[in-house]
Amino acid sequence: MDQANPFETPKTFAVHRAEYLVGFAVSTGLIIAHFSEIRWWVWIALFLYIDLIGYIPGAIAFKRSGGRPVHKAYYVLYNVMHSLITQAAVVGLWCWWIGPEWALLAIPWHLSGDRGLFGNFTKSFALPYEPVRHQGYLRLLDDLGLAHPKPVGHTFDPEPVGHLPATARTTAPAAAPAAAAGADAAGAGGLAGATGGERPVSTAAR
């Protein structure tokens, strides 16, 4: 919500989505107003290519994974293809090489619809590819005294297989040295017990 707290609550997220709904409404109005001037095969191609490259491959991988993490390349594809910066560059190059046309409205219509209607923004490597409620976020809302968002209906909501909390990821490596130290101590104790608590003496000393 600010630079010190870079997260959103359900209400601020709704306000954020509403801003894109305005863009979606403006795009829809322009499409209707210039309906007869749009080259519709171009409009459809521009609308579909974003998801054909940026979303569908990751969605297929996510469904096949059974809830386990998918490759980060799918996240990168989604974020690049659904970036306002990327698509602004596409529109600019199109206007330069081919010329401006109303079919380009497919791009802002797609992006503003994704954000405003469906609430889909940039995907984080730390979260599942598809929207799934995260226990850490739910605990944060509890601390703030706020209601939880509704589940989205995945069978493995809220915690998909393989997406470990940060504490589990950081404490797991530390457990190995502790276990090794325990094994060394146990070995030393066993040796002491076998020799009656005395240090072993070499035959040369005798």
Side-chain angles (χ1 to χ4, degrees), residues 117-136:
L117 295 176
F118 304 111
N120 293 325
F121 289 81
T122 304
K123 294 186 181 295
S124 169
F125 292 153
L127 296 174
Y129 184 83
E130 293 283 19
V132 177
R133 297 192 306 176
H134 194 282
Q135 287 295 313

Side-chain angles (χ1 to χ4, degrees), residues 107-119:
I107 291 178
W109 197 76
H110 184 135
L111 298 183
S112 59
D114 269 353
R115 289 163 168 76
L117 295 176
F118 304 111

Side-chain angles (χ1 to χ4, degrees), residues 85-99:
I85 298 173
T86 301
Q87 298 308 325
V90 170
V91 171
L93 290 173
W94 189 287
C95 292
W96 183 25
W97 290 339
I98 300 175

Side-chain angles (χ1 to χ4, degrees), residues 8-75:
E8 292 193 274
T9 65
K11 287 187 177 180
T12 60
F13 185 64
V15 172
H16 195 179
R17 291 177 61 179
E19 294 179 353
Y20 284 95
L21 284 176
V22 173
F24 182 77
V26 171
S27 300
T28 302
L30 290 173
I31 290 170
I32 294 173
H34 300 278
F35 191 88
S36 61
E37 303 173 61
I38 294 175
R39 290 195 297 165
W40 283 101
W41 70 269
V42 175
W43 191 97
I44 293 172
L46 290 172
F47 178 85
L48 292 179
Y49 98 100
I50 296 174
D51 280 347
L52 288 174
I53 298 173
Y55 171 67
I56 292 177
I60 294 173
F62 179 79
K63 288 183 178 180
R64 290 178 175 176
S65 72
R68 298 183 181 277
V70 300
H71 198 280
K72 292 181 179 180
Y74 296 118
Y75 291 78

